[in-house]
Amino acid sequence: MSLVEGTGSNESDDAVFKALANSTRRRILDLLRTQPRTTGEVCDEFSDLDRTTVLQHIRVLEGAELVTGRRDGRTRLLALAPLPIKRIHDRWIGEYTRAAVGLLAQLDDDAQQSDTQQH
């Protein structure tokens, strides 16, 4: 059940946050941001990790629905699925940004009123 209408479930948000908490998975998303890549191309970018480890990270990203994969012959093409990140942004970052901007505006108003009263 969604806490806020249209924002997804707690479980799916938790899966996205868990996936984004790991720097390797964020690097994979950065690779896919520019264009879809094959699984092999993604694995080749991580020479410090074995293929099995990279594939495990890809599975976590797919489980969080941050990455989609489709077969193209013998290869598997991975693509970024930005909707879960947008959902997190809209639910968490956007709301907190608006609150922070409101607080800063209030501080600015208070400071201007204080300056006016002192002069």
Side-chain angles (χ1 to χ4, degrees):
M1 185 166 129
S2 176
L3 287 178
V4 177
E5 188 70 29
T7 61
S9 70
N10 283 333
E11 294 83 17
S12 63
D13 287 354
D14 288 348
V16 171
F17 279 116
K18 176 185 174 190
L20 294 174
N22 181 278
S23 63
T24 299
R25 292 191 285 264
R26 291 191 306 269
R27 287 174 48 206
I28 292 170
L29 293 176
D30 287 340
L31 280 173
L32 297 175
R33 183 177 41 181
T34 56
Q35 67 184 28
R37 296 178 186 252
T38 66
T39 303
E41 290 171 333
V42 172
C43 290
D44 289 346
E45 292 290 329
F46 294 89
S47 58
D48 55 326
L49 299 174
D50 63 69
R51 184 176 175 87
T52 303
T53 301
V54 176
L55 292 173
Q56 288 173 340
H57 285 295
I58 290 170
R59 278 194 288 280
V60 171
L61 291 169
E62 288 177 320
E65 299 178 343
L66 289 165
V67 169
T68 60
R70 68 173 175 82
R71 282 246 173 248
D72 185 15
R74 292 187 56 181
T75 62
R76 190 154 176 263
L77 195 61
L78 302 171
L80 178 68
L83 192 57
I85 294 173
K86 182 182 181 329
R87 187 179 67 237
I88 294 295
H89 176 273
D90 291 349
R91 166 64 175 94
W92 292 97
I93 298 165
E95 289 297 321
Y96 286 99
T97 300
R98 280 188 283 283
V101 168
L103 288 172
L104 289 173
Q106 183 62 46
L107 284 172
D108 187 48
D109 290 346
D110 292 348
Q112 287 179 7
Q113 286 179 353
S114 178
D115 285 346
T116 303
Q117 291 172 357
Q118 290 177 2
H119 289 88

